[in-house]
């Protein structure tokens, strides 16, 4: 029942009760007829007046309640507008403030959800595109070999190109799996598997995986290790993935015949890995964005570098899991330095 009707009903009930009592009193001769009718008249008049004054003074309350109810319905349609109540009683004002806080929180969550959905569909679209490119290239090359378009002498070169495309596909798949694992595990990131890492053995394994790509671009990699740093306590797998991404970028975004400098030192309770290249560099405006998911600088500039803009995003997340920091410094046109800083435990 509506509040308004409840108010009218309560006044009506009190009038009926008075009329019954007075009627009973008259019939038992406790009251004269005149006094009885007078009391009934006054009671009815008082209740009518009470109803009018009550309805009038509660009009703002009724109005505020209506407004709250309408606003709640609007939220169902994802319109997160706050409510403003004028002249409403204090309790309703408090309710409206709580309501507004809830609306603001809902609006934030909704925006975050929408953004993450958008990001996900961008990611799927981008990866779909990136995966299609090497597959199409491999398919065309296989067809060309089958049709005899490629001469025997060119086959080695074609196989090399196909190997490159397969490499690209496998790196994409790896990144995709990495992202899926990382984002599934959020907000609790996968636990670190800390272990004692012997730096010389670790570096040997890491750097040997770059033999092929460095030789292909005739690039050199020089290594400088602070003799103080022999071991470190960290998650070896995560450290390997971060450094792999950084060295891969250093090679990919540098021209042939350049050098990549890997330096490891202990400074103020931190182990710092710096990867310096003599490559194309990164404009100041892009330096923070490159850590965003799917961000690539001037995508069309260099299609043969063929990346998906995930490497640094993954590296940054892994660095955070290792409680470290990843920073970039770059001189556009002359090269970049990426610094990975890990706590020395
Ligand atoms: N050493 C570097 N020198 C110049 N630009 C770089 C360097 N490292 C990264 N970048 C820029 O930052 C962007 C993002 O790098 P990121 O490693 O995240 O993605 P990617 O290399 O494009 O693709 P992938 O996911 O295969 O690593 C690159 O596209 C490139 O424009
Ligand atoms: Mg990369």
């Amino acid at each position: 029942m509506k509040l308004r009707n409840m108010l009218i009903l309560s006044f009506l009930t009190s009038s009926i009760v008075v009329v019954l009592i007075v009627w009973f009193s008259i019939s038992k001769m406790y009251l004269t007829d005149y006094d009885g009718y007078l009391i009934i008249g006054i009671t009815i008049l008082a209740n009518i007046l009470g109803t009018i004054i009550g309805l009038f003074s509660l009009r703002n309350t009724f109005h505020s309640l209506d407004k709250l109810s309408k606003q709640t319905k609007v939220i169902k349609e994802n319109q997160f507008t706050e409510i403003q109540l004028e002249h409403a009683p204090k309790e309703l004002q408090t309710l409206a403030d709580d309501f507004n806080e809830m609306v603001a929180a809902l609006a934030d969550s909704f925006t975050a959800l929408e953004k993450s959905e958008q990001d996900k569909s961008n990611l799927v679209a981008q990866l779909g595109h990136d995966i299609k490119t090497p597959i199409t290239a491999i398919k065309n090359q296989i067809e060309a070999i089958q049709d005899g378009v490629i001469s025997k002498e060119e086959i080695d070169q074609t196989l090399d190109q196909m190997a490159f495309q397969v490499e690209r596909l496998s790196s994409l798949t790896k990144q995709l799996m990495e992202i899926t694992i990382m984002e599934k595990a959020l907000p609790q990131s996968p636990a670190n598997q800390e272990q004692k890492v012997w730096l010389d053995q670790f570096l040997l394994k890491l750097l040997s995986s770059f033999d092929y790509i460095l030789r292909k671009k005739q690039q050199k990699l020089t290594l400088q290790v602070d003799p103080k740093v022999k071991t470190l306590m960290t998650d070896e797998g995560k450290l390997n993935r971060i450094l792999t991404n950084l060295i891969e970028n250093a090679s990919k975004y540098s021209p042939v015949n350049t050098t990549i400098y890997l330096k490891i030192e202990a400074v103020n309770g931190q182990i710092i890995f710096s990867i310096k290249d003599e490559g194309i560099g990164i404009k100041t405006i892009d330096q923070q964005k490159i850590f965003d998911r799917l961000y690539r600088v001037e995508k069309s500039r260099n299609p043969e570098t063929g990346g998906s803009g995930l490497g640094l995003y993954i590296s940054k997340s892994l660095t955070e899991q290792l409680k470290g920091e990843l920073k970039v410094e770059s001189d556009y046109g002359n090269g970049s330095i990426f610094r990975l800083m890990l706590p020395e435990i």
Side-chain angles (χ1 to χ4, degrees):
M1 188 188 283
K2 278 191 160 184
L3 197 60
R4 206 178 266 117
N5 298 343
M6 274 168 83
L7 189 78
I8 295 170
L9 191 72
S10 76
F11 279 113
L12 207 67
T13 318
S14 92
S15 300
I16 291 171
V17 171
V18 172
V19 170
L20 284 176
I21 293 171
V22 172
W23 176 78
F24 179 75
S25 307
I26 293 172
S27 69
K28 292 279 177 196
M29 303 286 208
Y30 300 148
L31 277 176
T32 63
D33 286 4
Y34 176 76
D35 287 345
Y37 294 137
L38 194 66
I39 292 172
I40 289 175
I42 291 172
T43 307
I44 292 175
L45 202 68
N47 277 338
I48 291 174
L49 261 174
T51 312
I52 294 170
I53 295 171
L55 288 177
F56 183 75
S57 58
L58 285 175
R59 72 192 190 290
N60 284 326
T61 307
F62 296 138
H63 181 65
S64 305
L65 285 172
D66 274 353
K67 225 171 160 183
L68 263 169
S69 142
K70 274 191 198 127
Q71 207 72 8
T72 317
K73 283 190 190 117
V74 164
I75 288 185
K76 275 201 262 175
E77 287 143 31
N78 300 336
Q79 290 177 31
F80 302 102
T81 32
E82 296 195 347
I83 191 167
Q84 299 303 335
L85 298 182
E86 283 125 32
H87 316 297
K90 203 157 177 275
E91 290 82 353
L92 279 184
Q93 292 281 14
T94 315
L95 182 65
D97 290 345
D98 292 346
F99 178 89
N100 287 345
E101 260 177 43
M102 184 196 76
V103 166
L106 270 177
D108 285 351
S109 328
F110 188 74
T111 319
L113 195 71
E114 263 192 337
K115 189 177 174 304
S116 105
E117 284 301 314
Q118 185 60 46
D119 280 358
K120 278 212 178 92
S121 53
N122 284 351
L123 179 68
V124 172
Q126 173 84 36
L127 287 174
H129 170 263
D130 284 357
I131 285 174
K132 214 177 98 204
T133 314
I135 291 181
T136 314
I138 296 168
K139 187 173 152 263
N140 290 342
Q141 279 158 331
I142 292 175
E143 276 171 12
I145 295 173
Q146 283 171 333
D147 295 347
V149 180
I150 293 177
S151 67
K152 277 216 169 77
E153 299 75 56
E154 285 169 331
I155 281 192
D156 273 353
Q157 196 193 342
T158 311
L159 282 175
D160 265 358
Q161 287 164 2
M162 285 165 75
F164 173 76
Q165 302 292 0
V166 171
E167 190 60 40
R168 180 80 215 110
L169 262 179
S170 102
S171 134
L172 260 172
T173 321
K174 215 170 67 194
Q175 311 267 46
L176 185 60
M177 273 160 51
E178 188 110 46
I179 280 216
T180 319
I181 294 167
M182 238 165 51
E183 300 202 340
K184 250 198 196 149
L186 286 177
Q188 279 160 319
S189 314
N192 290 333
Q193 301 192 333
E194 274 181 12
Q195 67 214 86
K196 191 175 194 175
V197 180
W198 291 90
L199 207 59
D200 48 358
Q201 289 168 17
F202 171 77
L203 289 173
L204 204 68
K205 208 158 58 177
L206 173 78
L207 299 183
S208 63
S209 65
F210 287 99
D211 275 357
Y212 176 67
I213 64 164
L214 292 178
R215 205 157 6 104
K216 220 163 74 188
K217 283 190 88 170
Q218 291 141 43
Q219 288 166 332
K220 265 201 316 192
L221 195 148
T222 72
L223 179 65
Q224 191 189 333
V225 185
D226 186 336
K228 280 191 299 226
V229 194
K230 293 209 164 32
T231 59
L232 62 157
M233 280 300 287
T234 193
D235 183 322
E236 185 176 348
K238 288 180 184 172
L239 179 62
N240 186 306
R241 261 127 70 205
I242 301 168
L243 292 176
T244 300
N245 279 331
L246 296 178
I247 299 172
E248 202 179 88
N249 280 349
S251 162
K252 196 155 76 167
Y253 301 109
S254 298
V256 290
N257 271 320
T258 50
T259 305
I260 298 164
Y261 302 85
L262 171 58
K263 191 163 136 192
I264 302 163
E265 58 195 323
V267 184
N268 298 333
Q270 285 189 313
I271 311 259
I272 304 180
F273 296 80
S274 350
I275 297 96
K276 179 171 174 288
D277 64 53
E278 300 170 333
I280 56 177
I282 306 158
K283 286 185 190 158
T284 317
I285 185 171
D286 289 315
Q287 285 176 21
Q288 287 317 307
K289 296 190 204 150
I290 53 172
F291 296 100
D292 293 347
R293 192 164 78 172
L294 297 179
Y295 189 83
R296 303 200 71 217
V297 178
E298 290 171 41
K299 292 178 193 149
S300 55
R301 181 177 55 186
N302 209 348
E304 76 264 20
T305 56
S308 24
L310 293 174
L312 288 179
Y313 168 73
I314 292 171
S315 303
K316 181 119 188 159
S317 307
L318 293 174
T319 305
E320 279 161 14
Q321 290 171 28
L322 297 182
K323 309 213 167 18
E325 272 183 283
L326 181 59
K327 291 194 172 155
V328 61
E329 225 176 84
S330 185
D331 179 12
Y332 184 57
N334 292 314
S336 318
I337 308 181
F338 282 82
R339 283 197 183 85
L340 167 69
M341 289 163 270
L342 295 182
E344 192 179 14
I345 307 168

